[in-house]
């Protein structure tokens, strides 16, 4: 798909993002689904032990749970239209009729930033790999600590990102990519922010 930002001045990017977000069929369900998925984690048990009572998962595991539950919960609300991505080239939330409406999910305990694998900073190499351009749900959440026994969702954003928005770590051993400041300013819309 051609970039919706191509040839447009950066001052126009935010209005383009707002238009893209407003036309997405799931936009009004994202916040409730993320918050419900977060609550579902704390209703979960492993054997006789409860998350948040006896078990305090690492940020990576909490991110995995959140990622899976958001994708499954949104898919269940739209059976026949959306499903959890299975194939390597599918987004985390795959649209069965229009793949351009699929959504990637990124979650982080950073207060404001999200991260991805370094490969997100590269264009998709072939039709068998996932297109890094498209819709993203960005979730920032608290982690367990001595002072935080019941972490909360800090922020939920939704927008349209492209591989050019990601900056790969310069170190040859670095495996992470971060977003440019411009992407945060003009390509992600805040849907929810904790008080």
């Amino acid at each position: 798909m051609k970039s919706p930002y191509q040839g447009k001045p950066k001052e126009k990017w935010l209005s383009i993002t707002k238009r893209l977000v407003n036309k997405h069929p799931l936009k009004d369900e994202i916040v409730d689904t993320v918050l419900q998925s977060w609550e579902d984690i704390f209703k979960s048990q492993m054997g006789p032990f409860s998350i948040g009572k006896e078990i305090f998962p690492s940020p990576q595991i909490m991110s995995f749970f959140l990622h899976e539950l958001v994708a499954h919960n949104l898919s269940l609300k739209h059976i026949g239209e959306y499903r959890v991505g299975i194939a390597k080239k599918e987004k985390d939330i795959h649209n069965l009729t229009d793949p351009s409406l699929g959504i990637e999910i990124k979650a982080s305990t950073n207060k404001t930033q999200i991260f991805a694998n370094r490969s997100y900073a590269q264009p998709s190499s072939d039709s068998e790999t996932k297109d890094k351009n498209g819709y993203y749900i960005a979730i920032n959440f608290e982690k367990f600590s001595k002072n935080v026994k019941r972490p909360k969702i800090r922020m939920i954003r939704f927008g349209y990102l492209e591989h050019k928005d990601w900056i790969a770590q310069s170190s040859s051993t670095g495996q992470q990519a971060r977003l440019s400041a411009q992407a945060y300013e003009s390509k992600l819309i805040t849907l929810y922010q904790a008080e």
Side-chain angles (χ1 to χ4, degrees), residues 117-181:
N117 185 289
R118 165 185 195 124
S119 67
Y120 275 74
Q122 304 298 324
S124 299
S125 56
D126 56 46
S127 62
E128 294 303 309
T129 58
K130 189 183 297 191
D131 186 2
K132 281 104 176 182
N133 304 330
Y135 288 97
Y136 282 75
I137 297 173
I139 307 165
N140 299 89
F141 63 94
E142 292 179 322
K143 60 184 172 181
F144 288 108
S145 69
K146 286 183 179 180
N147 300 325
V148 180
K149 299 298 180 196
R150 181 57 162 83
K152 64 184 178 186
I153 297 290
R154 286 186 164 127
M155 191 180 339
I156 303 167
R157 288 168 290 183
F158 186 50
Y160 192 97
L161 300 172
E162 301 172 294
H163 77 273
K164 294 177 278 191
D165 297 317
W166 295 98
I167 302 164
Q169 280 182 305
S170 53
S171 163
S172 60
T173 58
Q175 295 300 310
Q176 197 177 74
R178 62 182 171 83
L179 281 176
S180 68

Side-chain angles (χ1 to χ4, degrees), residues 24-184:
H24 197 281
L26 300 184
K27 74 171 170 50
D28 293 329
E29 300 175 52
I30 290 171
V31 171
D32 287 344
T33 302
V34 170
L35 296 177
Q36 182 57 55
S37 297
W38 188 249
E39 290 304 312
D40 289 345
I41 293 172
F42 292 93
K43 293 176 189 168
S44 302
Q45 286 188 256
M46 296 181 71
F49 307 110
S50 299
I51 292 176
K53 291 182 182 168
E54 297 89 10
I55 298 175
F56 306 94
S58 69
Q60 293 85 355
I61 292 172
M62 291 296 281
S63 180
F64 168 78
F65 288 154
L66 188 57
H67 183 278
E68 290 297 310
L69 286 171
V70 169
H72 280 280
N73 284 332
L74 280 172
S75 297
L76 283 174
K77 292 177 185 179
H78 298 276
I79 294 170
E81 185 182 358
Y82 280 91
R83 69 166 164 73
V84 175
I86 300 167
K88 189 177 176 184
K89 67 178 183 176
E90 293 174 350
K91 301 284 173 84
D92 297 328
I93 306 167
H94 176 67
N95 185 295
L96 295 163
T97 57
D98 184 355
S100 72
L101 292 174
I103 303 171
E104 281 288 283
I105 302 168
K106 296 294 176 199
S108 171
T109 57
N110 186 286
K111 287 184 179 178
T112 58
Q113 296 183 2
I114 57 167
F115 305 93
N117 185 289
R118 165 185 195 124
S119 67
Y120 275 74
Q122 304 298 324
S124 299
S125 56
D126 56 46
S127 62
E128 294 303 309
T129 58
K130 189 183 297 191
D131 186 2
K132 281 104 176 182
N133 304 330
Y135 288 97
Y136 282 75
I137 297 173
I139 307 165
N140 299 89
F141 63 94
E142 292 179 322
K143 60 184 172 181
F144 288 108
S145 69
K146 286 183 179 180
N147 300 325
V148 180
K149 299 298 180 196
R150 181 57 162 83
K152 64 184 178 186
I153 297 290
R154 286 186 164 127
M155 191 180 339
I156 303 167
R157 288 168 290 183
F158 186 50
Y160 192 97
L161 300 172
E162 301 172 294
H163 77 273
K164 294 177 278 191
D165 297 317
W166 295 98
I167 302 164
Q169 280 182 305
S170 53
S171 163
S172 60
T173 58
Q175 295 300 310
Q176 197 177 74
R178 62 182 171 83
L179 281 176
S180 68
Q182 183 73 49
Y184 286 112

